[in-house]
Amino acid sequence: MKKIVLLCAGGMSTSILARKMKKASVAMHYEVDVHAHMIEDAAKVGKDADVIFIGPQIRYLCNKLKEKMPNKIVEVIDMKDYGSMDGERVLRRAKELIDGFDA
């Protein structure tokens, strides 16, 4: 099972997105574990993640996180997808990243 971690300033808005991604994963028949956390927990929760997504409001921390976790896929969530809380589109992007990384 693939693991996706969503990070934001407080973990609140990404929690909503995580729920929508879980719902989309059922419809897509894609086994995935999705959790939202505060950015301060990145090192602990990101160590076994296949993809780490960062909320657009903290995009300025993306490069710093990539430096700290060079073997991880780290990406900022598309602002449009985040704003509309489109769990399916974010999940599809995660799947693209994971499939590309595993190839």
Side-chain angles (χ1 to χ4, degrees), residues 22-42:
K22 288 176 189 178
K23 186 176 179 181
S25 73
V26 172
M28 292 170 58
H29 305 287
Y30 184 60
E31 276 194 56
V32 67
D33 186 24
V34 184
H35 292 281
H37 299 276
M38 296 185 323
I39 188 70
E40 290 82 13
D41 298 332

Side-chain angles (χ1 to χ4, degrees), residues 62 69 78 92:
C62 188
M69 304 179 104
D78 179 89
R92 287 188 187 283

Side-chain angles (χ1 to χ4, degrees), residues 6-54:
L6 308 179
L7 300 172
C8 73
M12 300 295 253
S13 53
T14 50
S15 293
I16 296 167
L17 185 57
R19 283 195 302 275
K20 291 188 175 201
M21 290 173 71
K22 288 176 189 178
K23 186 176 179 181
S25 73
V26 172
M28 292 170 58
H29 305 287
Y30 184 60
E31 276 194 56
V32 67
D33 186 24
V34 184
H35 292 281
H37 299 276
M38 296 185 323
I39 188 70
E40 290 82 13
D41 298 332
K44 182 173 77 174
V45 299
K47 66 180 178 224
D48 2 333
D50 293 290
V51 174
I52 300 170
F53 278 129
I54 299 175

Side-chain angles (χ1 to χ4, degrees), residues 35-86:
H35 292 281
H37 299 276
M38 296 185 323
I39 188 70
E40 290 82 13
D41 298 332
K44 182 173 77 174
V45 299
K47 66 180 178 224
D48 2 333
D50 293 290
V51 174
I52 300 170
F53 278 129
I54 299 175
Q57 70 276 31
I58 57 167
R59 70 178 350 159
Y60 64 93
L61 295 172
C62 188
N63 287 337
K64 190 177 196 178
L65 190 56
K66 284 180 179 181
E67 288 174 10
K68 289 183 178 180
M69 304 179 104
N71 298 323
K72 296 293 175 185
I73 301 169
V74 178
E75 185 172 289
V76 176
I77 301 168
D78 179 89
M79 191 173 296
K80 182 179 174 188
D81 296 339
Y82 189 82
S84 63
M85 289 286 140
D86 193 332

